Each structure stands twice: as C-alpha cells, then as structure tokens.
Amino acid sequence: MQKNQKIILFGGCGVVICLIALIIVLIANNSSRTSEVNEAEARADSLRLVNDQLQLANEFNQLNAEFSQYEDQQVYLKNDSLVRQYNQARMKVEGLLKELNAEKRSNSQNRARIKQLEGEIATLKGIVKHYLEEIKRLGEENEGLKMEIQQINAKNEQLASQVSATTQSNQELAQTVKLAKKLNITGVSLMAYNKKGKKEKNITKARQLGVSFTVSPNNTAAPGMKDFFIRVISPEGTLLGGGPAFSFDGASLSSTAKRSMEYANDELGVSVYWDVNTTLTPGDYTVEVFCDGYRLASRHFTMKK
C-alpha cells in the first residue's frame, strides 16, 4: 500500500512539474510574441513619423516655391509686413525640420515635434494665402490704373490733336487775315527817260528809270502813309542802289528808291524814280516792289539798246 502511495505521489509531482514547465514555456512564448508585436508597432510608428515628416517637408518646399514665384511682385505691397511674417514662420519650420533630422528622440517626442511642425506649416499656409490674395488684389488695381492711364493718354492725344488742328486752323486764319491786309498792285512797268525827261528806248542813253504801278482798293488794309520800296536789279545781277534799307522777313534789304504816299483804301497810282548813276546795259531787268513788310510784285523787263 505504501508502495502504491509513493508511486501516486511521485506521479503527481511529475505531472505538476510538467505543468509548471509548460506554463513557463507558454509564458516565454507569449512574452516573445508580445515583444515582437511591440517592436513591429514601434517600427510602423517610426515609419509613419518619417512619412509624415517627408510630407510636411514637401508641403514646406511647395510653399517656398509658390512664394518665390511671386517674390518679384512685392513692389505692389504698400508694406512688407507679410514678407516679414512669412520669413519668421519659415525659419521656425526650418528649425523644426533640422531638429527632426538631426536629433534622436523617442517616437512620442517626435510625434510632438511633428504636431508642432504641422501647426507651423498651417500658419505658413495662411500667410502665403493672404500674401497671394494681396498680390492679386494689388495687381488688379495696378492693371486698372494702367487702363485708366491709357485712357487718359488716349484722351490727351486726342485733345493734343484737336489743339494742333485748332492751332493750325488759327495760323491759317491769321495768315489769311494777314494776306487780306496786303496791298495788291497791278500794271507794274519799268521805263527809261533821257536827259530831257522823255521816254528813251535805248537803255544806254537813259538818265533816269521810272517804276510805275497802281494800288488796288482794299478795305481790309490799314489806311495811312505807305512806304513803297523799289529794287531794280541789272542784267548782271547787281542792285541799282542808292535807296534806304528796309526790313523783310527778318532781314534788312537795300533798295533802289523809296516813295511815301497816303493810302485811303482807294485806287492809288504810284511812280518811283531813280537817277542813273552807273552805266546801264541792255538785257533783262528785275523790278521788285515792297510795302508793309510784303513783296507786292516781282517782274522782269527787257531793256534794249
């Protein structure tokens, strides 16, 4: 009986030991599996953090590119406060990215930095959005001003053209009035006289030359004393001089002779004489008549021997 009890006792102890060993093995296996699961979860979390960091870095680079694209339009801004805000936010984001790349932290610490980075990039997005809206608004205002300036310039050109046309018309009118005041003469003639005062056909025997013409009536011309200047040019192109100088087209001209007569807007016959003081030759003589700053006539006469 005692022998059976011993067998039962030893058998029970063996069973207990086997159970304990089995439990230890199960616990060890379970612990190993838990550790593997935790490690897998940790790796997955790290990968998610790296992916989040890369996505945020890409967003940051895109924001920088978008901002730089319109950087040359900062001249539209009345102040650079938006640019300063952007630069400050950009520096914060760059600092956080460097920390994540350089420092080894736990996943929980990195998750906190990622969260902070998300907030800073959200702020940066808001600044860029506001910046681009302001650039667009001011650009549209600038285009509006350009169109307004173009319209004003077009109106100014139109007005300038009208003024130019009016000025030209006024000048033409003034010239017409000026010409209307000019005396008109007809019947210009050149005669040679001998020493007896009679007409001489032989120019070489002439002792005096006479230029005669008739002034037509002109109510537009100013009445009063009129100075008539005569210029006689010989066939050799020499002025038969001796008369006083007068002004014409801003220059001073010498005359052959002058005669002053009263003009009352009626027909007036005028004769001007010049005493010969040089040898005259046959050929074509030119006679010019001037009065009130106008050349009234220019005629050619052939004088024979």
Side-chain angles (χ1 to χ4, degrees):
M1 186 68 180
Q2 290 179 353
K3 185 178 180 179
N4 289 335
Q5 289 178 346
K6 287 180 180 180
I7 291 172
I8 292 171
L9 178 63
F10 284 120
C13 288
V15 170
V16 169
I17 290 171
C18 288
L19 289 173
I20 292 172
L22 180 60
I23 290 171
I24 291 173
V25 170
L26 290 173
I27 291 173
N29 288 338
N30 185 58
S31 176
S32 176
R33 289 177 182 175
T34 301
S35 177
E36 289 177 357
V37 170
N38 289 338
E39 288 179 2
E41 289 180 351
R43 285 197 298 270
D45 192 29
S46 297
L47 288 174
R48 283 194 297 271
L49 289 173
V50 171
N51 184 59
D52 290 344
Q53 181 180 341
L54 288 174
Q55 287 182 352
L56 291 172
N58 287 334
E59 286 185 26
F60 176 65
N61 291 332
Q62 289 175 3
L63 287 171
N64 272 331
E66 191 172 5
F67 184 85
S68 299
Q69 182 181 356
Y70 294 92
E71 199 167 5
D72 60 341
Q73 299 185 37
Q74 291 179 15
V75 292
Y76 291 142
L77 296 177
K78 296 179 181 178
N79 59 68
D80 58 354
S81 61
L82 284 173
V83 178
R84 287 198 302 270
Q85 291 176 25
Y86 176 85
N87 289 331
Q88 291 171 358
R90 178 176 56 81
M91 290 176 66
K92 288 182 180 180
V93 172
E94 288 176 348
L96 287 171
L97 286 172
K98 286 180 180 178
E99 287 182 16
L100 287 169
N101 290 329
E103 299 181 13
K104 301 298 182 181
R105 299 173 180 269
S106 65
N107 284 352
S108 61
Q109 289 175 322
N110 285 338
R111 175 57 64 189
R113 282 286 186 268
I114 291 290
K115 196 69 176 177
Q116 186 179 358
L117 185 60
E118 288 175 347
E120 293 297 337
I121 287 183
T123 300
L124 197 61
K125 284 183 179 179
I127 294 173
V128 171
K129 181 180 179 182
H130 187 193
Y131 175 83
L132 297 182
E133 287 175 351
E134 188 70 4
I135 289 292
K136 181 180 178 182
R137 183 182 66 82
L138 294 174
E140 289 173 351
E141 286 184 3
N142 189 57
E143 288 299 321
L145 289 174
K146 283 183 180 178
M147 290 184 62
E148 187 175 344
I149 290 172
Q150 289 175 354
Q151 291 174 355
I152 291 173
N153 288 338
K155 288 182 180 179
N156 287 340
E157 289 179 1
Q158 185 179 3
L159 288 173
S161 178
Q162 291 176 355
V163 169
S164 177
T166 302
T167 301
Q168 183 177 357
S169 178
N170 290 340
Q171 289 175 346
E172 292 174 354
L173 180 61
Q175 183 67 19
T176 301
V177 173
K178 184 179 179 182
L179 292 175
K181 293 180 179 180
K182 175 184 175 182
L183 296 178
N184 294 316
I185 61 175
T186 59
V188 179
S189 64
L190 173 64
M191 297 297 298
Y193 299 92
N194 57 27
K195 60 182 179 181
K196 295 181 178 180
K198 294 183 179 181
K199 291 181 181 180
E200 178 61 58
K201 294 182 179 181
N202 188 345
I203 189 64
T204 61
K205 296 180 180 180
R207 294 295 178 267
Q208 191 178 58
L209 295 179
V211 176
S212 300
F213 53 88
T214 300
V215 181
S216 302
N218 187 350
N219 293 327
T220 307
M225 290 298 297
K226 301 293 182 180
D227 295 327
F228 296 95
F229 295 91
I230 308 302
R231 281 169 56 90
V232 180
I233 300 171
S234 70
E236 293 77 21
T238 303
L239 174 70
L240 304 181
F246 63 96
S247 296
F248 177 71
D249 281 349
S252 179
L253 297 181
S254 298
S255 69
T256 300
K258 166 194 170 184
R259 183 169 183 184
S260 297
M261 295 188 68
E262 182 77 22
Y263 178 68
N265 301 106
D266 296 323
E267 187 174 278
L268 177 67
V270 180
S271 293
V272 185
Y273 297 96
W274 174 75
D275 294 330
V276 176
N277 56 16
T278 186
T279 302
L280 299 179
T281 58
D284 290 335
Y285 286 77
T286 301
V287 175
E288 296 179 325
V289 182
F290 297 83
C291 182
D292 293 338
Y294 296 99
R295 179 188 280 113
L296 305 184
S298 179
R299 302 285 189 273
H300 298 283
F301 299 93
T302 300
M303 309 300 286
K304 298 179 180 180
K305 182 175 180 180

